Amino acid sequence: MSKQTKDYSQYFDFSDAKVISEDETGKKIRIRGREIHIMSEPNQREEKKRGKQEVQVMYENAVPEELRQIGVGKHYLVYTFGCQMNEHDSETIKGMLEQMGYQATESRDEADIILLNTCAIRENAEDRVFGELGHLKTLKLERPGLLLGVCGCMAQEEGVVNRIMQKHNFVDMIFGTHNIHRLPHLVQGALFSKEMVVEVWSKEGDIVENLPKKRQGMRGWVNIMYGCDKFCTYCIVPYTRGKERSRLPEDVIAEVRELARQGFKEITLLGQNVNAYGKDLEGMNYTLGDLMEDISKIDIPRVRFTTSHPRDFDDRLIEVLAKGGNLVEHIHLPVQSGSTEVLKKMSRKYTRERYLELADKIYTSIPNAVLTTDIIVGFPGETDEQFEETLSLVRQVGFDSAYTFIYSPREGTPAASMEDNVPMEVKKQRLQRLNDTIKQYGRISSEKFLGQVVEVLVEGASKNNDHVLAGRTRTNKLVHFEGSADLIGEFVHVQITDSKSFYIKGELVAEPAVIG
Ligand code: SAM
Ligand code: SF4
């Protein structure tokens, strides 16, 4: 077992807990004076199972009439950690809270309910959440009426839930990724019973449609599927997000149409492995390519999708993307490693050669295609030569940018028990070299824009300078230029005058007859 894995086993000892009652609503226990109602808890063995049961699609009214006043006059604050999937789940959580009468606030002192929507992908993400809980404890002691909840991927981990019950028992609610729609009932339970309420479903049940969502800005996320069945050996997601299940095409298309009607300028279709879309839809022969083709006919200016898995990326999708239109030519295609041996140990189910062939096919078929990626360095046993293969693949593909990570052992995953003889110092050096290489290719890609006029969707002011606006090209390149704040949310044309590694700079121009 790697030395870096957090030892959660100490939290599996409940000898000082007293069982108060046990019935069909769950178990009530008392630990150090705190009563906890455990309606259901996570179980990693269950989360690992993949059953054949049919997925039900439920068209739910998640906030019943009698709960629509519960938050009137009160405020909520949701902190989101992790990926776009979590950001989007937070939009649903906020949507439900607002239907319950709560109003948004940025101030902890004003908030009556604070939720931490958590990420479990790497250890440092978990450390940040426990750090935040430490700060919130002081607030809770000052204001016992404040409701504190922990949800998201960490809540799906047995060790984390046990740790919260034992060491952070000022928390009022814990719920997982499969029962977000139960939030109104859990808030009601925690408010009225004053117990800590724990409800985490280990088995992903159904797809719940019609949940309210609080979207902001002009870019919207749309889930097309949930879960992941790939079980890459380093990854916790298949356990925390459950089995792959696709939303029905008509439900996705109706949601995109509604966003178009509301004036959204860009949508991103979301899933852990979007290329598996449709494979679980019984009696249908309908894939991501088909969905993209149908969505390309909707009047929404830009359509993206993430995240792709190289193994399932098929020719049909390439053929549809090659038609362009509102389907942008940016593909995020995580490679993870450039070494076939490491990829095998990661159980990625493709080789270096297969990835390179796919990248080649994409560049040949889709005009101006841009690829970005995710890479892990320091996987257990990764040799210097294997790392060099990653660098050489980065050079060969010429990624525009990449998310790069040092491998982080996740309890219960196969890689966490693989022998790891790579010292942390070496892993850090590899990460640095990898980032330098990616930066170099980012700069080359930026330089290609010099003198060109690009179409930019303006997102807001630049982080460092209020007078400078920031937006993105179709290929997701960040663009800075001077302009009035009225342009936020609009498409503009910018002539590129300067290039940096991770962004390009330019000046506003009128729309040209031909875009570069
Ligand atoms: N489903 C996507 C895929 O297969 O590429 C991405 C899922 S994950 C949220 C995003 C990225 O986190 C992965 O692509 C991987 O590079 C990284 N990641 C996942 N588990 C990790 C771990 N245990 N240590 C370090 N990085 C990890
Ligand atoms: Fe994790 Fe692999 Fe699934 Fe991506 S495809 S979520 S990396 S198991």
Side-chain angles (χ1 to χ4, degrees):
M1 174 78 68
S2 160
K3 285 194 200 72
Q4 295 150 43
T5 309
K6 273 249 162 69
D7 179 16
Y8 280 108
S9 58
Q10 56 182 306
Y11 304 114
F12 280 77
D13 175 8
F14 278 88
S15 51
D16 62 350
K18 186 167 179 298
V19 177
I20 307 168
S21 65
E22 210 163 354
D23 59 23
E24 68 286 349
T25 69
K27 186 162 70 171
K28 289 196 183 187
I29 61 172
R30 187 179 297 121
I31 307 178
R32 273 168 242 121
R34 174 67 153 151
E35 285 191 14
I36 306 179
H37 186 178
I38 306 172
M39 299 196 256
S40 51
E41 345 173 46
N43 176 324
Q44 203 175 32
R45 212 173 305 141
E46 282 298 314
E47 289 171 346
K48 210 190 296 191
K49 283 190 194 155
R50 287 297 182 265
K52 274 261 167 262
Q53 331 65 319
E54 218 175 280
V55 170
Q56 301 290 324
V57 182
M58 300 185 331
Y59 295 87
E60 187 107 329
N61 174 16
V63 190
E65 218 46 63
E66 66 274 18
L67 297 182
R68 293 201 176 190
Q69 298 293 320
I70 208 169
V72 172
K74 297 182 187 167
H75 292 86
Y76 73 84
L77 180 53
V78 179
Y79 290 108
T80 310
F81 300 80
C83 66
Q84 290 158 328
M85 192 71 76
N86 276 15
E87 292 283 352
H88 188 40
D89 282 349
S90 286
E91 292 181 341
T92 307
I93 290 171
K94 292 174 188 176
M96 284 190 285
L97 288 169
E98 295 202 359
Q99 268 198 2
M100 294 165 73
Y102 285 97
Q103 282 172 278
T105 179
E106 294 293 316
S107 152
R108 290 177 174 215
D109 295 323
E110 192 181 29
D112 299 280
I113 175 167
I114 300 182
L115 296 179
L116 304 184
N117 187 8
T118 62
C119 168
I121 202 88
R122 282 171 293 277
E123 191 165 310
N124 56 7
E126 294 200 354
D127 290 344
R128 281 176 56 212
V129 170
F130 281 113
E132 201 57 68
L133 274 180
H135 298 140
L136 291 172
K137 182 177 182 178
T138 320
L139 205 62
K140 177 81 183 175
L141 289 174
E142 285 166 10
R143 291 169 46 214
L146 168 69
L147 218 54
L148 281 184
V150 176
C151 58
C153 289
M154 278 172 71
Q156 292 293 145
E157 295 182 277
E158 286 163 79
V160 168
V161 171
N162 291 348
R163 178 169 164 183
I164 295 175
M165 288 198 284
Q166 299 198 14
K167 297 268 176 221
H168 307 272
N169 65 12
F170 53 91
V171 167
D172 300 288
M173 275 184 298
I174 307 178
F175 59 98
T177 57
H178 306 313
N179 61 329
I180 288 179
H181 62 288
R182 293 264 311 141
L183 173 68
H185 301 274
L186 300 178
V187 169
Q188 183 190 34
L191 271 180
F192 296 126
S193 69
K194 309 273 184 223
E195 304 161 334
M196 182 198 291
V197 179
V198 180
E199 189 183 82
V200 181
W201 296 357
S202 295
K203 281 235 104 27
E204 67 298 320
D206 307 310
I207 290 182
V208 186
E209 294 289 349
N210 287 355
L211 296 179
K213 295 183 176 71
K214 189 189 184 194
R215 290 185 167 103
Q216 279 167 309
M218 76 310 276
R219 296 185 302 154
W221 289 304
V222 176
N223 266 121
I224 61 168
M225 60 186 304
Y226 302 96
C228 179
D229 287 348
K230 280 279 179 274
F231 286 100
C232 302
T233 55
Y234 50 82
C235 186
I236 195 81
V237 170
Y239 309 86
T240 61
R241 290 277 173 181
K243 80 169 176 193
E244 271 171 15
R245 50 217 195 275
S246 305
R247 286 178 71 198
L248 294 172
E250 57 266 34
D251 290 332
V252 175
I253 290 168
E255 188 172 346
V256 175
R257 283 219 177 96
E258 175 55 22
L259 294 180
R261 197 191 60 76
Q262 291 173 14
F264 278 79
K265 299 282 182 358
E266 179 178 302
I267 57 150
T268 304
L269 306 178
L270 280 185
Q272 291 299 344
N273 169 15
V274 284
N275 307 86
Y277 177 78
K279 291 191 174 165
D280 59 310
L281 292 173
E282 292 279 323
M284 270 191 221
N285 187 9
Y286 190 88
T287 63
L288 180 64
D290 300 312
L291 182 68
M292 295 296 278
E293 180 149 66
D294 282 341
I295 289 178
S296 73
K297 295 171 194 149
I298 300 176
D299 189 14
I300 201 142
R302 286 183 182 177
V303 180
R304 305 183 183 279
F305 61 100
T306 198
T307 302
S308 282
H309 193 296
R311 158 85 184 213
D312 294 328
F313 207 106
D314 58 24
D315 290 351
R316 165 87 178 117
L317 179 61
I318 297 180
E319 177 201 317
V320 172
L321 293 177
K323 293 181 193 158
N326 60 357
L327 309 183
V328 300
E329 43 281 344
H330 166 225
I331 298 168
H332 187 65
L333 192 62
V335 64
Q336 313 298 359
S337 166
S339 151
T340 296
E341 280 156 70
V342 175
L343 288 170
K344 195 165 176 207
K345 281 173 76 178
M346 290 177 162
S347 193
R348 288 289 289 180
K349 302 186 178 71
Y350 54 84
T351 59
R352 171 192 176 90
E353 290 69 33
R354 162 85 181 102
Y355 186 93
L356 288 171
E357 267 167 37
L358 177 60
D360 215 36
K361 205 187 272 181
I362 291 171
Y363 283 144
T364 317
S365 316
I366 305 174
N368 305 319
V370 158
L371 292 181
T372 55
T373 198
D374 292 352
I375 296 174
I376 297 176
V377 299
F379 189 74
E382 182 191 61
T383 63
D384 281 338
E385 293 72 28
Q386 288 166 340
F387 172 65
E388 292 299 332
E389 286 189 81
T390 297
L391 288 184
S392 87
L393 182 134
V394 167
R395 291 190 197 104
Q396 219 166 319
V397 179
F399 293 112
D400 206 66
S401 66
Y403 294 108
T404 56
F405 312 101
I406 290 181
Y407 165 71
S408 171
R410 304 286 61 215
E411 194 165 279
T413 60
S417 43
M418 289 179 192
E419 202 195 337
D420 189 359
N421 55 2
V422 190
M424 186 44 93
E425 210 33 56
V426 172
K427 295 186 189 215
K428 286 186 180 161
Q429 285 161 7
R430 286 182 189 166
L431 184 69
Q432 189 57 50
R433 282 189 63 206
L434 175 63
N435 287 345
D436 290 345
T437 309
I438 285 165
K439 201 167 161 191
Q440 193 186 332
Y441 282 84
R443 185 169 303 133
I444 294 172
S445 115
S446 294
E447 280 165 5
K448 288 190 200 146
F449 284 98
L450 283 175
Q452 283 190 22
V453 174
V454 289
E455 180 203 72
V456 177
L457 175 56
V458 188
E459 289 174 12
S462 136
K463 273 190 203 136
N464 307 323
N465 186 342
D466 280 353
H467 303 295
V468 173
L469 296 179
R472 300 222 172 231
T473 64
R474 283 172 63 93
T475 58
N476 218 31
K477 194 74 155 174
L478 185 61
V479 185
H480 285 179
F481 60 97
E482 282 186 23
S484 143
D486 306 345
L487 295 174
I488 294 172
E490 300 296 326
F491 284 102
V492 295
H493 290 86
V494 176
Q495 175 143 40
I496 302 307
T497 52
D498 195 2
S499 67
K500 308 278 178 198
S501 301
F502 297 117
Y503 69 101
I504 48 183
K505 282 179 22 183
E507 285 159 12
L508 273 175
V509 290
E511 181 173 359
V514 180
I515 294 176

